[in-house]
């Protein structure tokens, strides 16, 4: 028989009910105050993050995830969903994230504002769900509201919400909060349906981002407080019961962990031990734990990228950070029985950071603001409940703390507004990162890419050279420097940097593709084919390499092989515009004019009878003017060839297509050789 004495606690000053209500009871009904809090959370998130609706995509994974990701451009379809479930694209397995981006394409197209809107809505929903969970399980309305509000408005949230490629963060957090809310309901009723809701929600969250692998452990913490399911009977019996109960959840987490590790290793994202020695990893992890606490308390000098110190990390920093963590751990364990929220909040923080703390090093960053998205909730609970209980019997102090809490929310909102503004475009983002971190190869490279997109090539080249000076073995910087030099017409120097990148990373798909591009221009189609065949050995599903190899085979006059490559690319990405246009071109050159016209129509998104609407006299004159100044302009040659084919001008069409073949480039059609 349960002891009511063990479960009874003093009612909180802002309470709705006793936190220790017996299982089987119903959650409190939503009151007008609760509804006002929910509306306030949504309004505050919209006010601070609504500015992102005017932002563009940033060339910091947004291009790879959305702009250049042909797999999602057709929206949701059986084929794209199957791709999402199977792919390890971008060194991750998160099919639900891909599906959400596909849905955005269906709803908003490639307009950035719509994608930003989805991130903002998911973030607002997560804040509301967090409030409801804490309110339902602790009985503390205003403490729960403060935790949810500071979670929503803290400057560390800027990266997760304002960066479209971090859809996986806000989407997985939504399912994290939903899983907790469902688990709170299950803890009261303990029904099969309730457990199924918990399981399905966790599974969906893991399919959005594997960060949820630690959620079963957090549910065990919640069993201790606030649910108080551990301790109702002798500890060994209750503890074993709640652990066994979660074995299916741990199995889901283990499966997602394996899938993610394999995807990241295959994608080359997992750094070898030689690059980051274990001592360096452990030291950086300890310092990162302490640094995140500092950024939560005083969120200044936030950046999109913090370079890893590696061997330069001072041992005393790691020792001091370790001592701090040990001291806090000892304190919360000492207060464990009287203040269980301290233990739960602290171990929530420590545990949920484990997958991203750097013991398994993914990428080259030392830490990242987005990694605090879920872990910060534990610290917010610890601090909020700790301060509230500390001043519970002191009315004057309660008023002062309430005033300070209100001011902290206003300050946080203002700082977050400013931090979000740096994500307006890639140039502002990386210039801020350089100012904050003192310079890193990644930030210089990112700024250089932004300048290339603006056709500010001399400035971009300077940034890429700075990146290589800081980190000579950074293959991405060599590739991008080669690309900028290529756009200036310095083909030999560009080829040198592509080969430098391949000397560092022989499996760099981008360097191989770009090398093949220059070899095609130089007329060395055999070596171009070798480079592309290597790309396809590394990744047989690389649609762009298949398209490029099709262009090479067409240039060699091997039309049947070219068709095979284009068909293979289109089997992977049915709406690949270059694949459709290339296949149409080969059909045309091979004398099959009707299928050529059909593929051109698909590539352009227009039917054959709409060609005149696509190619007006003014546009045609523009293409002709471009060719007069640059005979290597692939866009102009391809478009003029398609138009001539529509008009039945076979000789002119064939000539333009042959020129396009000779100067065929990598898939980014907007780039022009100069």
């Amino acid at each position: 028989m349960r002891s009511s004495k063990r479960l009874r606690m003093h009612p909180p000053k802002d309470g709705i009910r006793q936190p220790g209500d017996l299982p089987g009871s119903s959650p409190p009904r939503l009151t007008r105050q609760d509804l006002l809090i929910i509306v306030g959370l949504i309004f505050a998130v919209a006010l601070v993050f609504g500015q992102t609706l005017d932002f563009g995509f940033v060339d910091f994974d947004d291009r790879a995830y959305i702009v250049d990701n042909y797999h999602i451009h057709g929206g949701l379809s059986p084929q794209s969903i199957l791709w999402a479930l199977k792919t390890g694209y971008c060194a991750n397995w998160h099919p639900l994230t891909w599906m959400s981006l596909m849905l955005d394409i269906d709803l908003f197209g490639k307009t950035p504002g719509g994608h930003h809107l989805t991130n903002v809505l998911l973030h607002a929903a997560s804040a509301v769900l967090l409030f409801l969970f804490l309110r339902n399980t602790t009985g503390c309305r205003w403490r729960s509201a403060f935790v949810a509000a500071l979670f929503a408005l803290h400057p560390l949230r800027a990266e997760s919400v304002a960066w479209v490629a971090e859809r996986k963060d806000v989407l997985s957090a939504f399912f994290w909060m939903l899983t907790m809310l469902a688990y709170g309901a299950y803890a009261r009723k303990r029904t099969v349906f309730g457990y199924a809701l918990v399981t399905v929600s966790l599974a969906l969250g893991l399919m959005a981002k594997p960060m949820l692998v630690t959620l079963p452990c957090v549910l065990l913490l919640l069993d201790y407080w606030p649910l108080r399911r551990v301790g109702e009977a002798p500890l060994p019996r209750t503890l074993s019961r709640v652990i066994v109960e979660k074995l299916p959840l741990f199995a889901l987490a283990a499966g997602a962990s394996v899938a993610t590790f394999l995807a990241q290793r295959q994608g080359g994202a997992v750094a070898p031990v030689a690059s980051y020695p274990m001592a360096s990893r452990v030291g950086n992890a300890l310092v990162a734990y302490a640094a995140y606490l500092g950024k939560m308390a005083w969120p200044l000098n936030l950046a999109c990228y913090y370079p890893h110190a590696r061997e330069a990390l001072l041992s005393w920093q790691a020792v001091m950070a370790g001592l701090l963590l040990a001291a806090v751990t000892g304190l919360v364990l000492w207060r464990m029985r009287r203040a269980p929220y301290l233990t739960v909040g602290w171990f929530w923080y420590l545990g949920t950071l484990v997958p991203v703390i750097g013991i398994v090093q993914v990428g080259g960053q030392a830490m990242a603001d987005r990694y605090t998205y879920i872990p910060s909730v534990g610290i917010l609970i610890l601090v909020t409940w700790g301060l509230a209980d500390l001043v519970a019997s002191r009315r004057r102090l309660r008023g002062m703390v309430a005033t300070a809490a209100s001011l902290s929310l206003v300050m946080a909102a203002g700082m977050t507004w400013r931090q979000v503004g740096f994500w307006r475009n890639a140039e502002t983002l990386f210039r801020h990162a350089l100012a904050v971190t003192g310079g890193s190869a990644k930030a210089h490279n990112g700024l250089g890419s932004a300048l290339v997109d603006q056709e500010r090539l001399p400035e971009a080249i300077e940034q890429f050279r700075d990146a290589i000076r800081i980190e000579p073995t950074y293959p991405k910087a060599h590739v991008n420097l080669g690309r900028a030099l290529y756009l200036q017409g310095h083909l030999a120097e560009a080829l040198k940097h592509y080969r430098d990148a391949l000397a560092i990373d022989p499996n760099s798909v981008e360097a191989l593709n770009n090398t093949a591009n220059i070899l095609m221009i130089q007329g060395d189609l055999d070596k171009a084919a070798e480079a592309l065949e290597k790309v396809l050995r590394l990744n047989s599903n690389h649609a762009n390499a298949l398209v490029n190899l099709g262009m090479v085979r067409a240039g060699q006059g091997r039309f049947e092989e070219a068709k095979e490559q284009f068909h293979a690319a289109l089997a992977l990405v049915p709406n690949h515009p270059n694949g459709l246009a290339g296949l149409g071109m080969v059909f045309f050159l091979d004398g099959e004019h009707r299928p050529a016209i059909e593929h051109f129509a698909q590539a352009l998104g227009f039917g054959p009878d709409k060609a005149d609407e696509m190619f007006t006299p003014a546009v045609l004159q523009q293409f002709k003017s471009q060719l007069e100044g640059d005979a290597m302009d692939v866009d102009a040659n391809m478009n003029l060839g398609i138009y001539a084919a529509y008009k039945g001008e076979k000789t002119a069409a064939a000539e333009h297509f042959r020129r396009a073949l000779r100067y065929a480039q990598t898939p980014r059609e907007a780039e022009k050789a100069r």
Side-chain angles (χ1 to χ4, degrees):
M1 185 173 179
R2 294 187 180 92
S3 168
S4 60
K5 183 177 180 181
R6 178 181 300 153
L7 293 173
R8 194 175 300 281
M9 296 179 66
H10 294 295
K13 298 297 182 183
D14 64 348
I16 305 164
R17 62 187 177 89
Q18 293 284 351
D21 281 350
L22 295 176
S25 61
S26 299
R29 294 181 179 178
L30 287 175
T31 67
R32 181 176 296 179
Q33 284 183 318
D34 296 323
L35 293 175
L36 287 174
I37 289 170
I38 290 171
V39 170
L41 286 171
I42 295 171
F43 177 77
V45 169
L47 186 65
V48 173
F49 292 97
Q51 59 180 306
T52 62
L53 273 61
D54 292 328
F55 291 6
F57 295 121
V58 295
D59 192 4
F60 188 42
D61 285 353
D62 280 358
R63 188 181 292 279
Y65 270 60
I66 301 146
V67 179
D68 289 343
N69 185 1
Y70 295 125
H71 298 283
I72 73 167
H73 287 176
L76 281 170
S77 67
Q79 188 169 14
S80 65
I81 291 172
L82 182 62
W83 171 83
L85 290 169
K86 294 169 59 178
T87 189
Y89 182 70
C90 285
N92 274 300
W93 184 80
H94 41 49
L96 198 64
T97 294
W98 295 128
M99 293 179 206
S100 77
L101 293 171
M102 293 170 192
L103 181 58
D104 277 1
I105 293 290
D106 283 332
L107 295 174
F108 312 113
K110 298 179 188 177
T111 304
H115 296 261
H116 283 293
L117 175 63
T118 302
N119 274 23
V120 174
L121 292 176
L122 285 169
H123 181 56
S126 294
V128 170
L129 291 175
L130 176 59
F131 164 69
L132 291 175
F133 168 76
L134 291 173
R135 164 197 175 276
N136 289 355
T137 56
T138 68
C140 300
R141 173 182 292 119
W142 296 109
R143 299 182 197 184
S144 303
F146 179 75
V147 169
L150 195 51
F151 161 78
L153 301 177
H154 197 284
L156 287 171
R157 301 295 87 79
E159 181 168 292
S160 295
V161 183
W163 184 11
V164 175
E166 273 309 299
R167 170 66 54 79
K168 53 185 178 287
D169 225 13
V170 290
L171 184 60
S172 64
F174 170 80
F175 284 106
W176 179 295
M177 304 304 177
L178 191 62
T179 302
M180 290 200 306
L181 192 64
Y183 187 72
Y186 165 75
R188 287 190 298 271
K189 301 292 186 180
R190 300 182 190 175
T191 64
V192 173
F193 179 73
Y195 190 85
L197 285 179
V198 173
T199 305
V200 170
S201 183
L202 173 63
L204 291 172
L206 288 167
M207 293 170 69
K209 185 178 181 180
M211 190 77 175
L212 274 76
V213 295
T214 59
L215 182 50
C217 296
V218 170
L219 296 181
L220 284 174
L221 290 173
L222 298 177
D223 283 332
Y224 178 64
W225 181 92
L227 297 175
R228 298 186 175 276
R229 299 181 65 207
V230 176
E232 298 174 7
L235 181 61
R237 192 171 74 188
T238 56
L239 187 58
S240 63
R241 184 191 70 201
V242 296
I243 291 175
V244 170
E245 177 186 69
K246 292 174 183 60
L247 290 179
L249 307 183
F250 281 111
L252 283 174
S257 298
V258 171
T260 299
F261 179 77
L262 293 176
Q264 291 179 336
R265 187 176 65 177
Q266 182 180 1
V270 179
V273 175
S275 300
Y276 296 87
M278 189 53 64
S280 174
R281 298 181 188 217
V282 172
N284 181 74
L286 293 172
V287 171
Y289 268 119
Y292 285 136
L293 292 175
K295 289 184 180 296
M296 289 179 204
W298 195 245
L300 292 178
N301 295 328
L302 304 182
C304 64
Y305 185 80
Y306 303 97
H308 200 294
R310 300 192 187 189
E311 293 81 2
L313 185 69
L314 298 177
S315 59
W316 67 266
Q317 293 175 312
V319 170
M320 293 299 293
L323 290 174
L324 172 64
L325 299 177
V328 176
T329 302
L331 176 63
V332 301
L333 290 175
W334 174 57
R335 298 288 297 173
M336 185 174 179
R337 293 183 64 83
R338 288 183 174 274
Y341 48 78
L342 297 179
T343 303
V344 171
W346 181 244
F347 283 102
W348 175 318
Y349 171 70
L350 293 181
T352 54
L353 271 174
V354 167
V356 291
I357 203 62
I359 299 301
V360 177
Q361 183 68 35
V362 178
Q365 70 280 348
M367 53 192 291
D369 295 348
R370 61 188 178 276
Y371 292 161
T372 67
Y373 197 70
I374 291 297
S376 64
V377 174
I379 298 300
L380 293 176
I381 290 172
L382 181 156
V383 172
T384 301
W385 261 260
L387 283 175
D389 280 0
L390 189 64
V391 302
S393 60
R394 299 172 176 85
R395 179 173 298 180
R396 182 175 298 177
L397 285 178
R398 287 207 309 270
M400 293 174 62
V401 168
T403 301
S406 300
L407 289 174
S408 69
L409 289 178
V410 174
M411 290 178 60
M415 296 172 73
T416 303
W417 170 274
R418 177 177 179 272
Q419 187 65 31
V420 168
F422 293 123
W423 288 85
R424 179 170 296 278
N425 56 58
E427 182 176 358
T428 58
L429 180 66
F430 287 110
R431 287 199 186 278
H432 176 68
L434 287 170
V436 168
T437 63
S440 69
K442 184 89 170 184
H444 280 294
N445 182 69
L447 178 56
S449 294
L451 294 171
V452 167
D453 289 342
Q454 299 174 41
E455 299 186 1
R456 295 157 63 182
L457 296 180
E459 296 174 70
I461 288 171
E462 183 180 347
Q463 294 298 324
F464 295 137
R465 293 195 191 281
D466 284 342
I468 293 170
R469 175 180 51 79
I470 294 171
E471 191 175 341
T473 58
Y474 185 19
K476 182 71 173 178
H478 283 285
V479 170
N480 283 339
L481 177 55
R483 172 182 164 226
L485 291 166
Y486 169 80
L487 293 174
Q488 283 193 328
H490 305 309
L491 301 189
E493 192 176 357
L495 187 60
K496 173 187 177 301
H497 282 285
Y498 293 151
R499 287 172 172 163
D500 287 344
L502 290 170
I504 300 165
D505 179 9
N507 296 329
S508 171
V509 168
E510 191 174 4
L512 287 165
N513 254 326
N514 293 357
T515 297
N517 177 46
I518 291 181
L519 293 172
M520 289 168 68
I521 291 175
Q522 293 176 339
D524 196 341
L525 298 183
D526 291 338
K527 287 187 178 179
E530 288 178 13
L532 292 167
E533 286 169 350
K534 182 173 182 180
V535 171
L536 294 171
R537 285 196 299 273
L538 293 168
N539 182 1
S540 60
N541 293 327
H542 197 292
N544 291 337
L546 288 166
V547 168
N548 288 341
L549 186 55
M551 298 292 280
V552 170
R553 295 306 184 209
Q556 293 172 324
R558 296 155 65 173
F559 291 155
E560 291 305 314
E561 292 179 50
K563 291 176 187 177
E564 290 178 10
Q565 301 301 327
F566 288 128
H567 280 303
L570 292 170
L572 293 170
V573 186
N575 296 309
H576 198 302
N578 284 7
L580 290 166
L583 185 56
M585 177 182 62
V586 173
F587 276 126
F588 188 88
L589 293 174
D590 206 22
E592 300 179 64
H593 297 156
R594 181 61 192 172
I597 293 294
E598 292 173 355
H599 283 85
F600 292 148
Q602 286 182 265
L604 296 171
F606 287 85
D609 58 332
K610 300 292 185 180
D612 289 336
E613 295 180 19
M614 180 71 179
F615 298 107
T616 64
V619 172
L620 287 174
Q621 185 56 48
Q622 180 184 351
F623 291 146
K624 291 176 180 177
S625 298
Q626 286 176 266
L627 286 180
E628 290 174 3
D630 184 0
M632 294 167 60
D633 193 311
V634 178
D635 285 345
N637 275 300
M638 284 292 291
N639 283 310
L640 285 170
I642 291 172
Y643 181 78
Y646 275 129
K647 291 294 187 181
E649 300 170 1
K650 299 177 182 179
T651 303
E655 178 60 27
H656 285 302
F657 288 146
R658 289 193 177 96
R659 289 182 185 177
L661 273 178
R662 181 179 179 188
Y663 301 118
Q665 301 180 54
T666 47
R668 193 167 304 168
E669 293 184 331
E671 295 180 354
K672 299 180 172 57
R674 300 189 186 279

